[in-house]
Amino acid sequence: MAPVPLSPVKVGHIDDVQELRNAKPTTIPERFVRDMTERPTLATALSSTSDIPVIDFSKLIKGDKDEVHSEILKLGIACEEWGFFQVINHDIELSLLESIEKLAKEFFMLPLEEKQKYPMIPGTLQGYGQAFVFSEDQKLDWCNMFALGVEPHYIRNPKLWPTKPAKFSETVELYSKEVRALCNNLLKYIAMSLGLRQQAFEEMFGVAVQAIRMNYYPACSRPDLVLGLSPHSDGSALTVLQQGKGSSVGLQILKDNTWVPVQPIPNALVINIGDTLEVLSNGKYKSVEHRAVTHKEKDRLSLVTFYAPSYEIELGPMPEFVDESNPCKYRRYNHGEYSKHYVTSKLQGKKALDFAKIHTKI
Ligand code: OGA
Ligand code: NI
């Protein structure tokens, strides 16, 4: 096994979930069993039938004037009422989506010793392991993760870029370029949906920070007791999520106090608003809380890209969204500091955003 560098964070023993699955224990280890209030009961998961909005990207970039206009309106409603939408006809080649998915699967199927050549050091967010664990008694997610910082290059840790499977790193690079262009484009239309200039976010963000996280959720004999991924909002501006083909339904979003499952649409990408856009729009667009649940028989893979402003950028609500009836809800802060705060806190709903919230007394 590769030596794991010493870390100041004491996290106790963390079982590798795939190994655990293969060992088929008769009971789920205590650290994965959620308290009653956190368990994903069947009733809440099935109580909603509505689906998240679908945006046709080709209408945004190639449509006639009316189509562009109505799709931007749709996009605005999706961001305001859901914070989540699926994008179809997004122009990223299907073959690229398929190859990154295949390689990610192959990576997770490698022997543990091979994956542990790229260890995620507790308290950091790159490499293979369990992210967001900060104490010995914290409950664990039923998930193995592999994460890489991609852009700008200085955030990369070259030692963590796998040499196996062949073409893995090369494909991550190609895929990330395409997803970056998509984020950049979507942000233009999101800006327009807010009544801002097309380039407003691009100009503000500087050289955007981009990271990729691959989440592998093995089947779990007791999906009613565990969570695949704890409830959280994303610290990014935008997140792009690719759901593995044939995977079980696992992503759920919190809408009107109900967990709504996101039904995968073949070849579509799931997009969500992160904390940055919530702050910039002074809460008009919200970074909606979401989580992942597991399945009794099926594994699930998701490939997630986080797109955020450059770390040196100062952020706060844009003046366009602050007036007498919409008082300023967030303070100004440095995005690098927020990122640091985000990655060094456990995932806990929308708690990370308390960092920026202005608490008004009533
Ligand atoms: C995430 C995330 C959900 C999923 O990685 O931030 O929300 O379905 N993932 O894997
Ligand atoms: Ni997320």
Side-chain angles (χ1 to χ4, degrees):
M1 209 200 280
V4 178
L6 284 177
S7 152
V9 188
K10 280 208 167 60
V11 294
H13 175 72
I14 298 183
D15 279 311
D16 182 277
V17 192
Q18 283 169 269
E19 301 297 312
L20 206 58
R21 166 72 186 167
N22 293 340
K24 291 204 165 56
T26 44
T27 54
I28 304 288
E30 199 51 37
R31 268 196 98 177
F32 292 92
V33 177
R34 296 289 171 153
D35 297 338
M36 281 300 205
T37 51
E38 285 185 333
R39 291 183 192 172
T41 55
L42 223 52
T44 49
L46 294 178
S47 59
S48 175
T49 49
S50 51
D51 284 337
I52 68 167
V54 176
I55 300 297
D56 186 341
F57 187 71
S58 67
K59 283 194 185 154
L60 287 172
I61 55 162
K62 296 191 264 225
D64 60 36
K65 219 172 147 208
D66 288 346
E67 276 175 332
V68 176
H69 183 73
S70 76
E71 210 60 18
I72 290 179
L73 275 179
K74 241 168 102 178
L75 177 63
I77 293 169
C79 293
E80 198 166 344
E81 293 181 1
W82 291 81
F84 264 84
F85 53 92
Q86 305 212 47
V87 168
I88 55 169
N89 302 323
H90 45 63
D91 261 2
I92 301 182
E93 280 195 25
L94 187 55
S95 59
L96 186 54
L97 301 186
E98 286 171 348
S99 36
I100 187 105
E101 189 181 317
K102 180 168 164 280
L103 289 163
K105 264 191 199 140
E106 282 174 20
F107 175 81
F108 283 107
M109 293 309 142
L110 291 172
L112 184 61
E113 299 77 47
E114 183 64 30
K115 292 183 279 187
Q116 283 181 336
K117 288 181 181 163
Y118 315 101
M120 184 184 288
I121 298 161
T124 71
L125 254 195
Q126 294 198 46
Y128 177 77
Q130 278 242 5
F132 305 107
V133 185
F134 301 99
S135 69
E136 294 183 80
D137 57 358
Q138 189 182 326
K139 293 289 179 190
L140 299 175
D141 291 334
W142 194 265
C143 177
N144 283 336
M145 290 178 171
F146 180 68
L148 291 171
V150 178
E151 294 290 346
H153 275 230
Y154 78 85
I155 71 166
R156 294 186 185 196
N157 181 348
K159 288 200 196 99
L160 296 179
W161 286 65
T163 48
K164 275 187 201 166
K167 297 244 168 95
F168 180 94
S169 294
E170 201 178 311
T171 308
V172 165
E173 189 95 61
L174 264 175
Y175 177 78
S176 296
K177 274 209 177 77
E178 295 291 319
V179 175
R180 192 174 181 84
L182 177 67
C183 287
N184 210 345
N185 266 319
L186 282 172
L187 280 170
K188 283 186 193 155
Y189 296 105
I190 290 175
M192 288 196 270
S193 77
L194 285 164
L196 301 168
R197 283 179 314 109
Q198 247 195 66
Q199 312 294 336
F201 295 128
E202 194 180 347
E203 285 170 10
M204 189 191 307
F205 283 11
V207 181
V209 170
Q210 185 179 350
I212 186 165
R213 182 155 79 220
M214 303 174 172
N215 302 315
Y216 187 79
Y217 306 96
C220 179
S221 59
R222 294 295 305 271
D224 55 326
L225 299 181
V226 309
L227 283 176
L229 189 59
S230 302
H232 65 282
S233 64
D234 294 341
S236 52
L238 269 192
T239 301
V240 178
L241 182 140
Q242 180 182 339
Q243 313 220 52
K245 256 210 185 96
S247 292
S248 58
V249 181
L251 174 61
Q252 299 181 338
I253 70 172
L254 189 61
K255 181 158 168 58
D256 307 326
N257 270 323
T258 304
W259 289 103
V260 180
V262 175
Q263 301 292 342
I265 299 175
N267 311 323
L269 294 168
V270 179
I271 314 288
N272 66 279
I273 300 292
D275 295 342
T276 304
L277 286 186
E278 173 167 332
V279 169
L280 289 171
S281 69
N282 196 28
K284 185 171 163 71
Y285 289 179
K286 288 201 179 54
S287 69
V288 166
E289 198 174 324
H290 52 285
R291 68 180 185 185
V293 297
T294 60
H295 190 275
K296 209 168 162 61
E297 280 117 29
K298 277 186 165 180
D299 296 6
R300 178 165 175 268
L301 175 74
S302 66
L303 307 168
V304 189
T305 297
F306 302 98
Y307 186 91
S310 169
Y311 290 136
E312 65 262 25
I313 302 301
E314 306 290 319
L315 294 172
M318 296 168 79
E320 289 87 340
F321 306 106
V322 180
D323 57 34
E324 247 170 56
S325 46
N326 298 291
C328 189
K329 295 196 185 88
Y330 311 91
R331 64 180 176 89
R332 283 189 77 75
Y333 59 88
N334 164 264
H335 179 67
E337 272 173 34
Y338 184 65
S339 291
K340 203 162 141 201
H341 165 75
Y342 187 92
V343 306
T344 51
S345 315
K346 72 171 185 173
L347 294 179
Q348 207 175 353
K350 292 201 53 163
K351 198 154 185 297
L353 207 49
D354 283 351
F355 174 95
K357 269 204 183 118
I358 296 173
H359 296 277
T360 40
K361 289 195 195 87
I362 303 165

